[in-house]
Amino acid sequence: MVVVTGGTGYIGSHTVVELLQAGYQVTILDDLSNSNIEVLDAIEELTGVRPEFFEVDLSDAAATASVFEQIGSEADSTIHFAAKKAVGESVQDPLLYYRNNLFSLVNVLEEMKKHDIRNFVFSSSCTVYGQPDVCPVTEATPRKEAESPYGNTKSMAEDIIRDASPVEHFNSISLRYFNPIGAHASGKIGELPVGIPNNLVPYVTQTAAGIRETLTVHGNDYPTADGTCIRDYIHVVDLAKAHLQALKRIEDGRMDSAYEVFNVGTGNGYSVLDVVNGFEEATGIKVNYRIGPRRAGDITQVWADTSLANEALNWKAELGLKEALSSSWNWEQNYRKQNA
Ligand code: UD1
């Protein structure tokens, strides 16, 4: 059985669907702070299975221990998504981020140790590279001083897992996600930002839906071809599948050491305007936008060298930018229809 923390969230829910479809048994732990319990209905509709669910704040050691007491003997793996992820909020409230993201990690690892659960996959981020000197970045590209407490929790979490894994006999993989976008083809699960979206694609789809008036492009004076920032946007379903491949690598005993790290991106960099134009081409809908000032903390460009994941995980991104954008739009429309 696989314990999926944060399993009702955006990336977690897509991964749960892939796991169930591949025949894994899944138990979800989530505090529902940034997700909705109805995601379980959607997962059940998609897979025919309703995973066991526990509402729990994993930064609370006693509550975490009590849940693992109930499920621990059946579990052999944990995929740990549960974390806060808003860069700006982390700058405003660093202690909230360190407490939530790091306490929960340590609590989960301690419970895994107690219940002899050895396989661990962790949600890391390309944020650990900061603004790299050279793109694409490989896993050997040095990490940089974090730009935000959020980014620092990912870097510190990687160190905690790296240090603990050989000692505690965990087999651990950190996946460094680039920019996840898109939604399940069914339109039944997707990204559900609370309030005004911080991230680009939810802002684009909400603008297209008329919920936001105008998208602000945060700066067009960067040293890139069109002046806007470049990111590696990866379809969330491709990303979900990378978790299954990571789990398989662990289960098959193919790891080279107790702790490994993989970039999970497409290998392609797209600018903000590429995303806006790609959305218009994919959906036929024009997005109102204006050019605004740069956003504090943004890096100019980053995209992944994915050769290590391609080889070692036998995984590669299969869906392109336009497929991702049209799936985001499909999800946005479906969601609005159902919640009108
Ligand atoms: C950031 C983090 C990433 C984290 C993610 C989750 C960094 C380097 N990256 O990604 O680790 O997982 O948030 O929240 O810290 N943009 C606009 N207008 C908008 C919104 C965004 O122009 O309204 C631009 C941004 O300036 C950026 C690009 O779109 O160039 C992508 O932004 P966003 O979706 O917020 O992701 P990141 O900042 O790359």
Side-chain angles (χ1 to χ4, degrees), residues 278-292:
F279 182 84
E280 289 182 6
E281 281 165 31
T283 64
I285 296 167
K286 248 190 123 39
V287 176
N288 290 328
Y289 74 87
R290 68 176 189 92
I291 306 293

Side-chain angles (χ1 to χ4, degrees), residues 82-221:
K84 292 191 166 290
K85 60 162 189 176
V87 176
E89 184 187 43
S90 80
V91 175
Q92 300 300 318
D93 197 347
L95 294 180
L96 173 71
Y97 272 66
Y98 289 117
R99 165 179 287 279
N100 187 74
N101 291 6
L102 298 180
F103 283 28
S104 50
L105 170 69
V106 172
N107 289 338
V108 166
L109 291 175
E110 283 185 333
E111 291 309 315
M112 287 177 57
K113 175 180 174 179
K114 211 188 290 173
H115 295 279
D116 200 27
I117 303 166
R118 298 292 165 199
N119 305 337
F120 190 64
V121 179
F122 176 66
S123 301
S124 189
S125 166
C126 69
T127 193
V128 301
Y129 297 116
Q131 175 58 69
D133 300 328
V134 181
C135 286
V137 287
T138 73
E139 291 77 356
T141 299
R143 285 185 282 162
K144 287 211 169 144
E145 184 83 15
E147 304 266 350
S148 69
Y150 157 76
N152 207 21
T153 67
K154 292 297 176 191
S155 215
M156 292 168 81
E158 284 197 4
D159 290 343
I160 291 168
I161 301 161
R162 179 202 60 203
D163 294 346
S165 294
V167 180
E168 306 296 354
H169 309 292
F170 296 138
N171 308 304
S172 305
I173 290 182
S174 285
L175 299 179
R176 290 180 179 158
Y177 311 156
F178 284 68
N179 285 54
I181 62 167
H184 194 267
S186 64
K188 290 186 193 296
I189 51 173
E191 188 170 9
L192 236 191
V194 177
I196 301 172
N198 290 310
N199 295 116
L200 177 61
V201 171
Y203 211 107
V204 166
T205 56
Q206 291 197 10
T207 306
I211 298 159
R212 313 277 154 213
E213 216 168 288
T214 311
L215 166 77
T216 302
V217 173
H218 298 317
N220 69 347
D221 58 349

